[in-house]
C-alpha cells in the first residue's frame, strides 16, 4: 500500500544501485509501433492480423489486458491472474466525469472530448474483426476503456530491441573449436570470424531498431506499481532493460532516506520508491493518470490563440494602436494561430498535444514562460512605425530578439494584459479556490474525487498564470 493514499506503491530501504525488482520479458506486455508482429497469440484472435498489428499501441495493450482478464494466456508457463486482480477497477480520470466545467480550462475540455470520440471510434473499428469464436468478441466499450486506461497509466516506452539470444554465439564457439581443432585455419582467423558474428548480432538487435525508429511500449507487472515524481530530488529509482538477462529491472539511484540524519534509520526505514514517467504536464497527469502534481515543474497553460486575444484591450494597455499591416504579416508568418480547429490523426498518442496543435493555442510554461514565438509576434505588434519599417521590412523573424527597451516593455505589458484577462475570466479566483481547498482538507468534506481533482487542477493552473505575470514584470 501507498502510505500517501495515492494507491499502490513500492517501498524499500535498499542502498543506491540495488536492484529492487527484476521481471523477465516473458511476463511483460508489449506493443510495437508502428506495426506489432511480436504477439501472434493476440493477433490470431482477429479475422485478419492487420486489424491488431496496425492499431495504436494503447489499443493493443488494452486488448492484451482484456484477454488476460478472460483467461486467454500468451504463455502457459506465466500466470497473470494475480497481477490482473491487483489492477485498479476504476479510474477518476476526466473521460468519466459528468462535467468538465469545474476545470475552468477550455484546453483540457477539448482534449478530453477528442479523447472520448477517438476511443469510441477505435472500439467501433476494431470490434467487428475480432473472431466470433473468441471470448474477446464479447468485449464491451467499458472494458475496452478500462484496458486503455491501464495501458496509458502503466506503460513505458523505448526503442525496440530483439531479445538476447546466445544460441548463435554458442554455435559460433563450436565452429571455432572445430575449425581450430581440425587445423583448418589459424586461431586468429577463427577469432576474426567470431568477432564478425558477435558484431552482426549486436548490430541487428540493438542498432537496426534505432535506425528504423521502431518503438516498443511495455507494461511490466509489479514494476508498474512504482509511482511518479517530477521533482528530481524525489526520484529514487530507475527502470531499465537488461539486454543480456532479457529482463526489466527497477533499481535504486539515490539514498532512499537521505533526509534522515540517523544513519541507522537510513538503512532500516522503508521509504516509497519514485520513478519519473517523463516530463508530464498536469494536463497529461490528470487526463491519463488521474492525479495532479502540486508545483509541477513541467506544467503548462494553453491559452487561446493570439488571433482570439482582445486586441482592443491590448491597445488600451499599451497606449497605441496596432496597424492592420502588422496583423496581416503575422498571419502570413503563421503566428496568429489556426482560424478553425483542425482534425488530427488518431495515430498520434497524446490528445493534449493534438488539441494544442488543432487550436494553435499560446503555450505558457513554468520553465520558459511565454512561448518565444508569441513574444516575437507581440514585439512586432507593438512596434513603432520606424521599428516596423526597419525590422519587418526584411523579415518578421527580426523581432525574435529585443528591438528596444521600450518595445520590450510594451510587448511584455501586452502579454501580461492578455494573461490577466484570461485569469479574470475564471468563475472563481485563486484565493477562493485555496479557501475551498483548505476547508476540503481541514474538515474532510464530502466532495467527490472528481470535485477534488478539478479544484486542485484549477488551483495549479491559476498559480502558473500568476507566476507568468510576475515573471514578465
Amino acid at each position: 500500500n501507498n502510505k500517501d493514499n495515492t494507491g499502490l506503491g513500492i517501498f524499500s530501504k535498499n542502498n543506491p544501485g540495488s536492484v529492487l525488482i527484476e521481471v523477465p520479458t516473458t511476463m511483460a506486455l508489449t506493443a510495437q509501433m508502428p506495426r506489432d508482429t511480436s504477439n501472434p497469440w493476440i493477433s490470431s484472435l482477429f479475422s485478419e492480423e492487420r486489424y491488431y498489428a496496425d492499431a495504436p499501441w494503447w489499443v493493443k495493450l488494452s486488448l492484451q489486458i482484456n484477454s488476460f482478464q478472460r483467461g486467454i494466456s500468451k504463455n502457459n508457463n506465466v500466470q497473470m491472474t494475480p497481477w490482473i486482480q491487483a489492477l485498479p477497477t476504476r479510474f477518476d480520470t476526466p473521460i468519466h466525469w459528468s462535467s468538465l466545467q469545474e476545470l475552468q480550462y477550455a484546453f483540457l475540455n477539448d482534449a478530453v472530448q477528442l479523447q472520448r470520440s477517438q476511443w469510441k471510434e477505435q472500439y467501433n473499428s476494431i470490434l467487428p474483426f475480432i473472431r466470433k469464436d473468441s471470448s474477446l468478441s464479447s468485449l464491451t466499450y467499458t472494458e475496452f476503456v478500462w484496458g486503455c486506461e491501464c495501458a496509458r497509466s502503466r506503460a513505458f516506452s523505448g526503442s525496440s530491441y530483439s531479445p538476447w539470444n546466445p544460441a548463435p554465439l554458442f554455435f559460433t564457439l563450436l565452429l571455432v573449436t572445430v575449425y581450430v581443432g581440425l587445423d583448418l585455419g589459424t586461431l586468429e582467423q577463427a577469432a576474426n570470424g567470431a568477432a564478425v558474428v558477435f558484431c552482426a548480432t549486436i548490430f541487428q538487435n540493438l542498432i537496426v531498431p534505432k535506425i528504423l525508429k521502431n518503438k516498443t511500449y511495455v507494461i511490466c507487472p509489479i514494476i508498474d506499481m512504482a509511482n511518479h515524481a517530477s521533482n528530481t530530488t524525489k526520484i529514487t529509482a530507475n527502470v531499465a532493460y537488461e539486454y543480456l538477462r532479457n529482463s526489466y529491472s527497477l533499481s535504486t539511484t539515490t539514498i532512499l532516506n537521505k533526509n534522515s540524519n540517523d544513519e541507522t534509520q537510513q538503512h532500516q526505514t522503508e521509504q516509497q520508491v519514485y520513478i519519473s514517467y517523463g516530463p508530464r504536464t498536469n494536463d497529461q497527469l490528470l487526463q491519463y493518470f488521474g492525479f495532479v502534481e502540486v508545483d509541477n515543474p513541467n506544467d503548462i497553460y494553453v491559452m487561446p490563440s493570439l488571433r482570439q486575444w482582445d486586441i482592443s484591450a491590448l491597445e488600451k494597455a499599451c497606449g497605441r494602436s496596432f496597424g492592420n499591416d502588422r496583423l496581416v504579416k503575422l498571419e502570413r508568418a503563421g503566428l496568429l494561430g489556426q482560424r478553425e480547429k483542425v482534425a488530427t490523426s488518431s495515430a498520434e498518442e497524446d490528445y493534449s498535444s493534438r488539441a494544442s496543435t488543432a487550436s494553435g493555442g499560446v503555450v505558457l510554461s513554468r520553465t520558459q514562460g511565454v512561448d518565444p514565438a508569441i513574444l516575437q509576434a507581440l514585439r512586432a505588434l507593438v512596434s513603432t512605425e520606424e521599428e516596423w519599417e526597419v525590422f519587418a521590412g526584411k523579415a518578421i523573424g527580426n523581432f525574435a530578439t529585443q528591438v528596444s527597451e521600450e518595445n520590450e516593455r510594451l510587448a511584455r505589458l501586452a502579454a501580461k494584459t492578455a494573461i490577466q484577462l484570461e485569469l479574470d475570466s475564471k468563475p472563481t479566483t485563486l484565493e477562493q479556490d485555496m479557501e475551498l481547498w483548505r476547508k476540503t482538507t481541514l474538515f474532510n468534506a464530502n466532495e467527490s474525487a472528481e470535485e477534488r481533482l478539478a479544484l486542485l487542477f484549477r488551483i495549479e493552473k491559476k498559480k502558473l498564470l500568476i507566476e507568468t505575470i510576475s515573471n514578465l514584470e
Side-chain angles (χ1 to χ4, degrees), residues 380-417:
L381 204 58
V382 303
S383 61
T384 62
E385 289 299 328
E386 181 182 357
E387 290 170 338
W388 179 252
E389 289 297 326
V390 171
F391 291 94
K394 296 179 180 177
I396 201 74
N398 290 326
F399 287 97
T401 56
Q402 181 173 322
V403 172
S404 67
E405 288 187 5
E406 178 63 10
N407 178 275
E408 190 70 12
R409 184 187 72 82
L410 291 178
R412 287 173 173 268
L413 178 59
K416 283 167 49 183
T417 302

Side-chain angles (χ1 to χ4, degrees), residues 132-236:
K132 302 305 179 186
D133 59 348
S134 164
S135 59
L136 195 60
S137 63
S138 62
L139 182 70
T140 66
Y141 180 63
T142 299
E143 292 171 326
F144 172 78
V145 168
W146 170 77
C148 289
E149 295 211 274
C150 286
R152 300 260 7 181
S153 62
R154 309 182 92 79
F156 58 88
S157 63
S159 298
S160 296
Y161 297 124
S162 300
W164 169 251
N165 180 10
L169 298 183
F170 285 134
F171 183 67
T172 301
L173 181 60
L174 176 62
L175 290 179
V176 168
T177 303
V178 173
Y179 186 81
V180 175
L182 296 179
D183 200 24
L184 298 176
T186 66
L187 179 60
E188 182 181 359
Q189 291 173 326
N192 289 338
V196 169
V197 172
F198 178 79
C199 292
T201 301
I202 297 298
F203 181 78
Q204 179 181 2
N205 292 348
L206 296 180
I207 308 301
V208 171
K210 281 185 173 291
I211 294 174
L212 298 178
K213 297 183 178 179
N214 292 336
K215 204 170 187 179
T216 298
Y217 292 84
V218 180
I219 299 180
C220 196
I222 307 177
I223 290 179
D224 67 336
M225 293 181 182
N227 286 312
H228 164 78
S230 290
N231 191 327
T232 54
T233 62
K234 199 174 181 181
I235 298 170
T236 51

Side-chain angles (χ1 to χ4, degrees), residues 309-354:
W309 288 13
D310 188 341
I311 297 298
S312 60
L314 302 190
E315 290 177 325
K316 182 177 180 181
C318 294
R320 63 177 59 172
S321 298
F322 306 150
N324 188 59
D325 54 341
R326 291 157 172 72
L327 293 172
V328 170
K329 201 147 191 174
L330 290 176
E331 172 78 83
R332 290 174 181 168
L335 293 174
L336 295 184
Q338 304 285 349
R339 286 186 177 276
E340 298 178 357
K341 292 181 181 179
V342 294
T344 53
S345 167
S346 61
E348 293 183 47
E349 61 193 57
D350 188 346
Y351 290 103
S352 297
S353 297
R354 291 167 57 193

Side-chain angles (χ1 to χ4, degrees), residues 112-130:
V112 173
Q113 297 294 357
L114 180 61
Q115 177 189 8
R116 285 172 174 169
S117 64
Q118 291 289 349
W119 283 22
K120 190 68 175 181
E121 179 184 317
Q122 286 293 332
Y123 173 76
N124 290 334
S125 66
I126 208 164
L127 187 65
F129 302 102
I130 300 176

Side-chain angles (χ1 to χ4, degrees), residues 7-299:
L8 294 176
I10 295 176
F11 290 78
S12 176
K13 54 185 178 182
N14 291 42
N15 291 325
S18 300
V19 177
L20 303 181
I21 302 169
E22 187 165 0
V23 180
T25 56
T26 53
M27 285 189 63
L29 285 69
T30 62
Q32 294 180 350
M33 290 297 287
R35 201 163 198 274
D36 186 8
T37 58
S38 64
N39 290 290
W41 68 276
I42 184 74
S43 60
S44 65
L45 302 179
F46 288 78
S47 56
E48 292 185 38
E49 178 186 309
R50 61 187 174 92
Y51 293 114
Y52 167 81
D54 297 331
W57 66 267
W58 38 271
V59 171
K60 296 169 184 173
L61 290 176
S62 174
L63 294 169
Q64 292 182 43
I65 293 170
N66 276 285
S67 295
F68 289 137
Q69 181 82 310
R70 286 164 163 72
I72 303 173
S73 176
K74 69 171 182 175
N75 187 335
N76 292 330
N77 297 323
V78 177
Q79 178 56 260
M80 302 295 290
T81 302
W83 174 71
I84 288 290
Q85 292 175 342
L87 292 175
T89 56
R90 59 181 293 273
F91 291 84
D92 294 320
T93 46
I95 194 173
H96 302 288
W97 294 6
S98 55
S99 172
L100 300 171
Q101 296 307 308
E102 291 303 308
L103 292 170
Q104 299 182 9
Y105 188 48
F107 172 67
L108 187 55
N109 191 327
D110 292 343
V112 173
Q113 297 294 357
L114 180 61
Q115 177 189 8
R116 285 172 174 169
S117 64
Q118 291 289 349
W119 283 22
K120 190 68 175 181
E121 179 184 317
Q122 286 293 332
Y123 173 76
N124 290 334
S125 66
I126 208 164
L127 187 65
F129 302 102
I130 300 176
R131 283 183 15 221
K132 302 305 179 186
D133 59 348
S134 164
S135 59
L136 195 60
S137 63
S138 62
L139 182 70
T140 66
Y141 180 63
T142 299
E143 292 171 326
F144 172 78
V145 168
W146 170 77
C148 289
E149 295 211 274
C150 286
R152 300 260 7 181
S153 62
R154 309 182 92 79
F156 58 88
S157 63
S159 298
S160 296
Y161 297 124
S162 300
W164 169 251
N165 180 10
L169 298 183
F170 285 134
F171 183 67
T172 301
L173 181 60
L174 176 62
L175 290 179
V176 168
T177 303
V178 173
Y179 186 81
V180 175
L182 296 179
D183 200 24
L184 298 176
T186 66
L187 179 60
E188 182 181 359
Q189 291 173 326
N192 289 338
V196 169
V197 172
F198 178 79
C199 292
T201 301
I202 297 298
F203 181 78
Q204 179 181 2
N205 292 348
L206 296 180
I207 308 301
V208 171
K210 281 185 173 291
I211 294 174
L212 298 178
K213 297 183 178 179
N214 292 336
K215 204 170 187 179
T216 298
Y217 292 84
V218 180
I219 299 180
C220 196
I222 307 177
I223 290 179
D224 67 336
M225 293 181 182
N227 286 312
H228 164 78
S230 290
N231 191 327
T232 54
T233 62
K234 199 174 181 181
I235 298 170
T236 51
N238 183 54
V239 179
Y241 173 57
E242 307 292 345
Y243 177 65
L244 294 179
R245 293 198 296 273
N246 198 23
S247 63
Y248 296 99
S249 67
L250 177 69
S251 304
T252 53
T253 55
T254 59
I255 297 175
L256 295 176
N257 295 286
K258 57 187 175 183
N259 294 326
S260 172
N261 294 321
D262 185 341
E263 186 173 347
T264 301
Q265 182 182 356
Q266 286 186 358
H267 291 283
Q268 293 183 354
T269 305
E270 287 189 343
Q271 185 172 332
Q272 184 170 180
V273 172
Y274 289 96
I275 61 174
S276 172
Y277 295 170
R280 305 286 185 181
T281 68
N282 274 336
D283 303 56
Q284 296 167 315
L285 291 177
L286 180 58
Q287 186 174 4
Y288 302 125
F289 300 87
F291 69 91
V292 175
E293 191 170 24
V294 175
D295 296 327
N296 182 352
N298 302 305
D299 205 10

